[in-house]
Amino acid sequence: MERKNQQYNGLKEECGVFGIYDINGHDTARITYYALHALQHRGQESAGIAISNGKIIDYHKGNGLVTEVFNDKNISELRGRVAIGHVRYSTTGLNQIYNAQPIVVRYRNGYLALAHNGNLVNADELRKELEESGSIFQTSTDTEIIVHLIARYITKGMVEAVKMAMQKIKGAYSLVIMTEKALYAVKDPNGLRPLCIGLLDDSYCFASESCAFDVIGARLIREVSPGEIVEVSEDGIKSYALEGQKKEAFCIFEYIYFSRPDSVIRGISVYAVRREMGRRLAMEYPVDADLIVPVPDSGIPAASGYSEVSGIPYGEGLVKNKYVGRTFIQPDQAHREIAVRLKLNVLAESIRGKRIVLVDDSIVRGTTSKRLVSMLRSAGAKEVHLRISAPPVKFPCYFGIDTPSRKELIGSKASVEDIRKMIGADSLGYLSIDGLLSCFDHVGFCTGCFDGNYPIKVPEEGSKFKFEAGVCYG
Ligand code: AMP
């Protein structure tokens, strides 16, 4: 997670991590490259791989997509058995190469490389403390704070050093860490962000999402537990638990929007749960209509669930430009609207003269929905009913999902009826928080973006937390 202008400035990063300890003679760098490809949706700004040949840790990282950072030559030069990789998302202006991960350092006992998904909430005070006691920082990320803390305690052994660092840091962190000879996966005591364990032949690997295992042919074993440290070395795999309170508060937005639908997280299929959200939405907000149209790709599973319950046919009414990806857009409103048009166009043939139910997973600022409703109307839709498979996003995320400050969240400023008017829909229905939670057999979620109940005390919103940069559209 990144700091801006020496001022802690949260809410900017979503990342993907991967790690492998190979004992089967795989081309470890290339496996990591493929896995990062599968995790590309979690971050498009920089990518990197660190690899150990048993003696030193080498690395390559750079700004851009995985395919832009790596080529056959630089991948072939990365040789070794233990590797970690990272894809990073941050908003505009902060894509300095020195902030790309993994962070690789050489300290008195050897090498250490670390890749982080999440966001610390006490980074400012920790950085100050470390700087006052002589630490010199090379990046503006809070990830480097974790590296410094581990290096500081390393004489106690790696696992103990990680535990001691965990006792100091607060916030969301799913980490993969490597030394020359071992690989570690670590999750914060609330288990806010995903991180799972897989097996590729007999080699253990870790990934933010199981879709990375599918690509490389690995088998999903289980999710890393909240507060767990998993170590893989020549002695095999070992698990350690951080002492003290652990209260799972997994980010529910991972299921709603952020993770890939083909991932399985904590034993739950993301696709199946999104479909269930659509089913519940149809029960909570039925409407008489002719066609259910998803906002591709984010609204597809929920739209199909809505269609199943309502009996209204599901059909394509919007076409997505495949080559836009998660476009990085300038932060002003005019550019955001262009972004919507760049990405989605109306299939006039299928919607003309029809009463449409438009289904999406979330409304953040309202730009996408407003634009789409007006595009559908211009193309001849008779009515447009908007259905959202999540509750209104009312509060910012402090734990690694990029959401703007409260004043920019339409759900925090306006009532549902006012939002409907602003967006121009004939009706608007959001899934309730209870309806959302009833889609799961599990408990233990962070629903802070909907109800302001965060699992950890968060900094007060104000001068330190302002949304200054761009937004990416899913
Ligand atoms: P907005 O136009 O600001 O209301 O954004 C809503 C659209 O952005 C929806 O289509 C969502 O699927 C997508 N979205 C929701 N959360 C995020 C996020 N954290 N980053 C990027 N896109 C998002």
Side-chain angles (χ1 to χ4, degrees):
M1 169 71 229
E2 197 135 6
R3 289 156 48 95
K4 195 174 197 177
N5 305 333
Q6 290 307 303
Q7 197 186 43
Y8 178 52
N9 193 287
L11 327 184
K12 296 292 186 285
E13 287 196 22
E14 303 146 8
C15 301
V17 299
F18 177 80
I20 180 163
Y21 185 104
D22 181 58
I23 57 167
N24 297 104
H26 296 110
D27 182 340
T28 315
R30 228 165 273 263
I31 294 279
T32 307
Y33 167 80
Y34 295 135
L36 292 182
H37 241 293
L39 298 173
Q40 185 77 82
H41 62 290
R42 299 186 69 85
Q44 300 89 45
E45 189 150 308
S46 72
I49 296 176
I51 194 159
S52 165
N53 62 8
K55 293 196 180 73
I56 59 158
I57 296 181
D58 192 7
Y59 65 91
H60 181 79
K61 56 188 181 179
N63 288 334
L65 300 172
V66 175
T67 46
E68 291 164 345
V69 172
F70 292 101
N71 55 44
D72 196 43
K73 184 168 177 295
N74 60 34
I75 281 280
S76 307
E77 284 164 4
L78 293 173
R79 308 197 150 271
R81 281 174 53 184
V82 190
I84 63 173
H86 188 262
V87 286
R88 186 177 71 110
Y89 169 100
S90 86
T91 46
T92 52
L94 292 162
N95 55 350
Q96 291 95 337
I97 179 69
Y98 60 79
N99 280 336
Q101 295 189 32
I103 293 185
V104 183
V105 294
R106 200 174 173 177
Y107 67 105
R108 59 199 150 132
N109 288 19
Y111 287 85
L112 194 67
L114 187 146
H116 173 203
N117 171 211
N119 182 41
L120 304 186
V121 292
N122 64 338
D124 251 5
E125 43 187 278
L126 287 177
R127 179 180 275 250
K128 194 160 165 265
E129 214 176 288
L130 286 163
E131 279 175 341
E132 277 168 6
S133 64
S135 295
I136 297 167
F137 283 84
Q138 294 183 0
T139 76
S140 58
T141 68
D142 58 2
T143 308
E144 199 183 352
I145 294 169
I146 310 174
V147 179
H148 275 274
L149 288 171
I150 295 173
R152 186 160 286 214
Y153 305 130
I154 200 79
T155 47
K156 305 207 179 293
M158 185 63 182
V159 171
E160 212 39 50
V162 171
K163 279 189 184 175
M164 288 171 79
M166 288 168 86
Q167 258 135 15
K168 296 214 99 181
I169 58 180
K170 291 194 177 62
Y173 52 92
S174 280
L175 308 172
V176 286
I177 311 172
M178 63 188 278
T179 59
E180 300 92 323
K181 293 194 169 17
L183 174 68
Y184 302 83
V186 178
K187 229 188 214 190
D188 64 76
N190 294 111
L192 273 149
R193 303 252 78 90
L195 185 62
C196 51
I197 310 174
L199 205 48
L200 175 62
D201 300 326
D202 307 306
S203 304
Y204 281 102
C205 41
F206 304 109
S208 291
E209 289 181 46
S210 64
C211 62
F213 296 155
D214 296 337
V215 168
I216 62 172
R219 182 163 58 87
L220 171 64
I221 306 288
R222 67 170 173 92
E223 193 72 18
V224 175
S225 301
E228 185 180 6
I229 301 163
V230 184
E231 178 185 49
V232 188
S233 68
E234 59 181 13
D235 300 331
I237 190 164
K238 287 185 192 154
S239 164
Y240 304 85
L242 183 72
E243 296 78 27
Q245 220 196 350
K246 293 169 210 82
K247 189 168 181 288
E248 187 157 31
F250 184 80
C251 168
I252 206 159
F253 214 74
E254 289 275 353
Y255 286 112
I256 292 166
Y257 166 78
F258 202 52
S259 295
R260 253 172 63 159
D262 51 339
S263 287
V264 174
I265 304 177
R266 298 152 85 227
I268 304 166
S269 148
V270 174
Y271 176 81
V273 85
R274 283 184 189 164
R275 205 161 183 281
E276 186 57 26
M277 290 170 198
R279 291 169 47 87
R280 305 269 166 162
L281 184 60
M283 294 175 212
E284 288 187 11
Y285 291 99
V287 62
D288 221 7
D290 305 310
L291 190 67
I292 311 290
V293 171
V295 176
D297 297 317
S298 48
I300 291 175
S304 92
Y306 195 103
S307 166
E308 186 196 305
V309 167
S310 64
I312 304 168
Y314 169 100
E316 282 152 41
L318 294 165
V319 176
K320 184 171 170 181
N321 179 344
K322 289 197 191 77
Y323 302 98
V324 174
R326 289 192 175 188
T327 319
F328 212 46
I329 304 295
Q330 286 303 309
D332 56 88
Q333 198 58 23
H335 282 86
R336 277 191 206 109
E337 294 199 3
I338 291 175
V340 178
R341 288 199 297 271
L342 201 66
K343 190 153 199 175
L344 296 165
N345 199 11
V346 179
L347 257 182
E349 283 312 303
S350 50
I351 57 107
R352 194 172 298 130
K354 293 192 180 131
R355 295 167 301 166
I356 303 295
V357 181
L358 181 66
V359 182
D360 203 358
D361 67 299
S362 55
I363 298 179
V364 181
R365 289 188 176 80
T367 320
T368 309
S369 321
K370 186 175 177 197
R371 191 67 226 149
L372 292 179
V373 169
S374 118
M375 281 160 69
L376 288 170
R377 285 203 199 282
S378 314
K382 210 154 80 184
E383 290 170 18
V384 184
H385 301 274
L386 184 59
R387 294 292 178 271
I388 303 296
S389 59
V393 177
K394 293 187 175 179
F395 300 89
C397 177
Y398 296 87
F399 305 113
I401 293 254
D402 178 29
T403 47
S405 67
R406 266 192 92 172
K407 63 179 188 303
E408 289 170 279
L409 292 169
I410 197 171
S412 117
K413 313 187 280 203
S415 67
V416 174
E417 175 54 14
D418 287 342
I419 298 171
R420 181 197 70 74
K421 284 190 199 141
M422 285 185 235
I423 282 171
D426 291 283
S427 72
L428 168 62
Y430 284 96
L431 185 63
S432 64
I433 296 188
D434 285 347
L436 172 64
L437 293 173
S438 71
C439 296
F440 299 89
D441 293 330
H442 292 52
V443 288
F445 291 104
C446 174
T447 50
C449 54
F450 305 127
D451 56 16
N453 292 326
Y454 301 106
I456 310 171
K457 191 173 180 305
V458 296
E460 266 174 44
E461 207 185 339
S463 58
K464 283 195 169 185
F465 282 87
K466 46 185 182 352
F467 186 76
E468 293 175 11
V471 66
C472 92
Y473 289 86

